Amino acid sequence: MDTNGHEFGKGGVSATARMRGLLVAFWIVVLAGITALRGDELATLQLGHPRLLVKPGGFAQLVELAKHDPVRSRLHARVVACAELLPADAPIEYLLVGPRMLDQSRKALGHITTAALAYRLTGDDRFRRHARDVMLRAAEFPDWNPSHFLDVAEMATALALGYDWLHDTLTETERSAIEQALRQKSLAYVSPAYGRRDKERISFPFVAGNEKNNWNQVCNGGFLLSALALADREPVLARAVLNGLRDTLPDAMAAYEPDGAYPEGPVYWSYGTRYNVLILAALESALGHDLGLGRRPGFARTALFRLHVQSPTGLSFNFADGRAHLGADPALTWLAAQANLPVAMALSRRLLLDLLDQPPDLKERFLAMHALWFPEDPGAGTARPTRDVAFDGPSRLALFRSAWDDPAALWTGLKAGSNRVNHGHLDAGSFMLDADGVRWAVDLGPDGYNLPGYWDGATVDSPRWAYYRLNNRSHNTLTPGTRRQSPDADVPWEAFASTEAAAYAIANLHSAYPADAARFRRGVAMLDRSRVLVQDEVTGLRAGTPLTWQMLTPATVAIEGSRVVLSLEGRTLRLEALSPAQATWTVRAATPPTAVEQQNEGIHVLSLTVPAEAAVKDVRIAVVLTPVGQKWPVLPVPVVRPLDAWAKDFR
């Protein structure tokens, strides 16, 4: 039980329901005076339904637009095809996996919005009944698992959208059941959430840590959509949510500063940003304005982060707890339209076309949003952004490519910034590399969220950092001895430059290994737009400390003295150790230390080791990675120059 007497879990259903009802009533009375201090946020409320993301007549307009646009028509056909796959009965159940019911909430969101939109596009009552039945099933649950509040937020989003989009088709009894569920299972928690009275509960929204990450965006989204759906029936609660949103959402949106990079990586960019966009779009559709929340320079630029972080192969620089695959994202479309970025709109449209070529998939819980935020064709001759960029902020990332619009282009990047970000790994200095349509240097991504101690990363010896996928031993970086990086590391940029022929970034890794040397620096350079140089300089190395440079790869590995030849999918990448002469190559399987972790089958760890006896006080390690084939020029081996000379060399 929390400090307000809420049950955070199963059991005591009737008592819990009574308590929630009393809390809602109390909160309405307490907050009635707040509105007078800030003005009436509901003065411009769109009357009637729908008002969430779409206005009255909006669905009929979508049908008309599809008659004149073959891509829209294909998208609508996919929505209907997915709805045809929905089972006859409501598929969700009150089922927790570990501490989470999130799979059920997400299933509800996908089923309800897909079926509701399919009904609006076709008039087929099967789809309406399915969405209604899922909502009523969820309304019968004893709770939506508030001990892991993301579950509540996504379920509330699902029911709020379904209630709004199908409002005129629901009976009074059905509406009442859904309204009561939104009040008791979502909005009942407005007081402890925005009142910040429950800081000891790690999983509750807006506590220390969660106020600056995706939890803020998702939980605020669930509250807001619930409140706006019921705003005409619960105006005081709706105003309380708007006030709370205005106070708390800026904490999460500050994470995009200064230039749009998202600290939790590209996968959680999708999660947090989708809900942030849902919030802003719902405010606009329901109230006609976004409370001024959208006017933040970093958020306005974040579509460019999404653009650069995706490689020519379609994979991402998937730092933190994220997979490499990125697909179509309706939030990218919305952001591109808001910021007037035709190049981002072109990417979003291409990703949607790729999606439409795939078989229907019920896991696409945001499919309906593509129809609401449709990526129009920006037209031929869309200007391309710079090929190279260095993002600042909590997670710093430099990204380079040889060309846009070439799936075989060379692409690489360097990770810097803080190891303390939400979902972060000990990955300072890690790089990735794609060429010839192949991902050569990989990040393994997350492990199982329910592993013991997975979220306990307080110190370098905490359980989280013992897991192979989360520490530096599984990342493409430099390691002294067997040292784990400091989880408190915050790695700054020392330099970044981009020219027509070359580009580079240099990061200062000292805070990752503060006890092992006076200075750790890593530079990554794209040379001649056809090869990559990774160069490390260690000054004042502690005596007797070996150094290991490593790269994880799915390729077949052949070591030939100072050279290594990688082969994958009929393509070739050559690595050559340019410095120091004493360094030796080895290869081993990327097998973790325990059987409970993911075993990383097919992945090799390619290591270049400077042994302790050869690791003198000052060490320079330089490795050049060169794609081989008719596409790529044959060039002389680059001369190894100090990192401090790069500014002059690469002008």
Side-chain angles (χ1 to χ4, degrees), residues 157-181:
T157 299
L159 267 71
L161 290 172
Y163 171 88
D164 181 65
W165 292 2
L166 296 177
H167 189 272
D168 64 333
T169 75
L170 299 169
T171 68
E172 196 60 44
T173 299
E174 291 163 351
R175 288 179 198 156
S176 178
I178 298 167
E179 291 166 5
Q180 189 76 345

Side-chain angles (χ1 to χ4, degrees), residues 309-381:
V309 83
Q310 180 168 325
S311 81
T313 64
L315 302 178
S316 71
F317 195 114
N318 58 307
F319 66 91
D321 280 331
R323 65 193 183 279
H325 175 73
L326 291 177
D329 197 322
L332 177 59
T333 304
W334 188 92
L335 289 163
Q338 293 292 310
N340 190 24
L341 292 171
V343 64
M345 187 67 78
L347 172 63
S348 194
R349 186 175 177 88
R350 187 173 77 244
L351 293 172
L352 179 60
L353 288 169
D354 290 344
L355 175 67
L356 296 178
D357 288 336
Q358 304 301 315
D361 188 346
L362 290 180
K363 294 181 181 179
E364 299 166 13
R365 72 185 191 280
F366 290 98
L367 178 63
M369 309 313 165
H370 286 292
L372 304 183
W373 309 322
F374 181 75
E376 302 286 355
D377 187 350

Side-chain angles (χ1 to χ4, degrees), residues 102 139 170 198 286 349 372 387 405 418 468 473 487 505 525-526 545 550 569 577 585 596 599 612 614:
L102 197 53
L170 299 169
D198 202 27
R349 186 175 177 88
L372 304 183
R387 290 175 291 185
D405 300 324
S418 173
Y468 182 68
R473 302 300 304 201
M526 181 173 285
T545 304
Q550 70 176 32
E569 299 178 10
W585 290 107
V596 298
Q599 296 302 294

Side-chain angles (χ1 to χ4, degrees), residues 87-93 107 111 130 132-138:
D89 59 340
I92 61 171
E93 54 185 324
K107 184 185 291 186
H111 280 238
H130 182 85
R132 177 204 62 191
D133 291 348
V134 176
M135 286 191 285
L136 294 177
R137 175 74 64 84

